[in-house]
Amino acid sequence: ICVPPNARLAPPELERILADCRPRLSLCEPSLGEGPWVETRDSEPPKVDVEPDQPVLILYTGGTTGVPKGAMLTAKSIQWNAWNTIAGWGLRPTDVAPIFTPFFHTGGLNVLTTPLLCIGGTVVLPSRGSFDAPAALKLVKDHDCSLFFLVPTMYQKLLECDIAPLRQVRMLVSGGAPCPEALLGAYAAEGLTIVQGYGLTEAGPNNFSGGTGGYVGVPLPHVQLRLQAADGRLAACGEVGELLIRGPHVMHGYWQRAESPVRDGWLYTGDLAVCEPDGRFRICGRSKEMFISGGENVFPAEIESVLSQHPEVAEVAVVGVADEYWGEVGRAYIVLRSPVTHAELKAFCRAHLAAYKTPREFVTRDALPKSPVGKILKHLLADA
């Protein structure tokens, strides 16, 4: 089973993942520096015939409890995601796509890479390093790319350049986070339409096609969707409900964990959506506290767990707030035992967390609003 860990994680985060999956063979690049990523080989990996329902890939996601969970994708689920995407997005063997999203994310592996390889298309891998807008546009031009997938922050970065090379691309796809209206408008002014997708690691990730104008579109072939109202009934047309997904592209479960968001074959996403009379779906928000910063899932509980270990932090609550560039960033509301600077708190977080998880803002309060049973009321924090 292949397990590509997120190279952006801090050492303690990687250690938790390695302890969970216990790899028989681990490979790393020297550029990652010192850490627990030593090359080990107990024995040669056995050669096995892979059955359709066997896990072949584990992608770790954050957890609402702060503990990473490994989503198991099988040979069948990856293949069905590819078939659904080929049919629903109209992929062709002549298509060429650059892959700028990393392979430790389902966005890098399964949005375009595996579908194109399945149909005999071409993927272009850029040089390593952070996203470089001028280099990306040059790559599109040099390789006659016809498809393009980026997260919104990358599309925002491209606007600093002449985006004329994108006019040769027949489909621009955005995913990983909501696409701001201002960003969609900026591309529309250039005669370019960004197609908005929706997915999650546990479901392929591709689930819709034809998403424009604030909608994620209609379900892909062999993807069943249901909207469940808060009282458990099916939501009516135009009514907001939790999005449930079923199909052969859904994950097998979480590695070595009994709990699963899949019940009776349905994946409970925790995302809120509405279905219009014409069959198009629109994502309205999230019922869980997770927020998305620059295409990365961020779970407040994980950040709160780290900050609560600081000796001067008495109480902490983290929420996601809107940001023009990143989509959302973390804001930490804290109650201190004795004075400590926000710079010190940020440095403390960076020693234990990836940069995108570290709160951009720290707000000091004398107390945090609580319910009668002592639960922090996060929706009141802004007014506290």
Side-chain angles (χ1 to χ4, degrees):
I1 304 175
C2 177
V3 186
N6 187 338
R8 299 174 62 188
L9 297 178
E13 296 171 303
L14 282 172
E15 288 171 355
R16 287 195 292 272
I17 288 175
L18 293 177
D20 187 65
C21 67
R22 302 180 65 130
R24 296 185 61 183
L25 174 68
S26 56
L27 304 173
C28 77
E29 298 180 19
S31 61
L32 289 177
E34 305 227 347
W37 316 285
V38 295
E39 180 174 335
T40 61
R41 177 168 291 188
D42 295 334
S43 62
E44 287 291 331
K47 293 180 173 60
V48 297
D49 293 326
V50 178
E51 297 297 326
D53 289 318
Q54 284 183 317
V56 295
L57 177 69
I58 295 177
L59 295 173
Y60 275 85
T61 69
T64 53
T65 61
V67 179
K69 295 178 289 186
M72 294 185 290
L73 300 183
T74 64
K76 181 176 74 174
S77 65
I78 294 173
Q79 182 69 74
W80 273 101
N81 176 77
W83 284 332
N84 287 340
T85 306
I86 290 166
W89 291 12
L91 302 190
R92 309 164 185 168
T94 54
D95 276 326
V96 180
I99 308 300
F100 295 109
T101 43
F103 282 159
F104 53 72
H105 275 315
T106 190
L109 277 174
N110 295 327
V111 170
L112 284 175
T113 302
T114 50
L116 281 178
L117 294 179
C118 178
I119 201 174
T122 301
V123 297
V124 181
L125 303 183
S127 59
R128 291 172 297 178
S130 58
F131 180 71
D132 183 275
L137 292 168
K138 184 177 185 302
L139 187 147
V140 168
K141 183 177 180 180
D142 291 347
H143 292 271
D144 294 322
C145 295
S146 58
L147 301 174
F148 205 56
F149 170 73
L150 296 178
V151 299
T153 51
M154 293 177 175
Y155 276 113
Q156 186 71 48
K157 198 73 175 173
L158 289 178
L159 289 176
E160 300 173 6
C161 310
D162 178 7
I163 60 174
L166 294 183
R167 293 194 175 92
Q168 74 182 51
V169 179
R170 68 181 182 87
M171 184 163 59
L172 303 174
V173 182
S174 175
C179 205
E181 288 294 330
L183 183 61
L184 296 173
Y187 276 82
E190 297 290 334
L192 299 169
T193 299
I194 296 179
V195 176
Q196 301 161 78
Y198 166 86
L200 59 166
T201 303
E202 292 87 345
N206 300 329
N207 291 275
F208 294 90
S209 66
T212 58
Y215 291 87
V216 293
V218 297
L220 291 174
H222 307 286
V223 174
Q224 294 177 272
L225 301 177
R226 173 185 290 176
L227 294 181
Q228 183 169 290
D231 57 7
R233 61 180 172 78
L234 290 180
C237 182
E239 180 184 7
V240 174
E242 180 181 0
L243 181 64
L244 278 57
I245 301 174
R246 185 168 70 177
H249 65 303
V250 172
M251 73 167 183
H252 184 70
Y254 290 128
W255 174 253
Q256 297 192 129
R257 278 169 172 73
E259 78 274 14
S260 173
V262 180
R263 300 192 290 275
D264 297 325
W266 290 96
L267 171 65
Y268 286 68
T269 68
D271 291 314
L272 302 176
V274 63
C275 182
E276 302 295 350
D278 61 5
R280 292 185 302 162
F281 282 75
R282 176 168 51 87
I283 305 300
C284 304
R286 290 181 292 277
S287 60
K288 44 195 176 183
E289 293 180 354
M290 180 196 84
F291 61 93
I292 300 175
S293 183
E296 298 275 7
N297 293 348
V298 182
F299 294 85
E302 184 178 12
I303 307 169
E304 291 162 356
S305 176
V306 168
L307 278 170
S308 64
Q309 297 173 39
H310 192 285
E312 303 306 328
V313 174
E315 291 182 321
V316 58
V318 176
V319 298
V321 296
D323 182 84
E324 287 187 2
Y325 184 76
W326 296 108
E328 293 173 294
V329 295
R331 176 186 291 166
Y333 291 87
I334 52 176
V335 176
L336 295 174
R337 295 187 175 92
S338 61
V340 59
T341 67
H342 293 174
E344 288 176 283
L345 291 173
K346 184 170 289 189
F348 183 83
C349 287
R350 282 296 290 118
H352 299 85
L353 296 169
Y356 66 85
K357 298 180 183 179
T358 300
R360 293 300 176 94
E361 303 174 31
F362 291 83
V363 179
T364 304
R365 299 289 194 214
D366 293 330
L368 301 182
K370 297 183 180 70
S371 70
V373 296
K375 182 178 179 180
I376 296 175
L377 302 175
K378 291 190 175 183
H379 66 284
L380 299 179
L381 282 172
D383 300 322

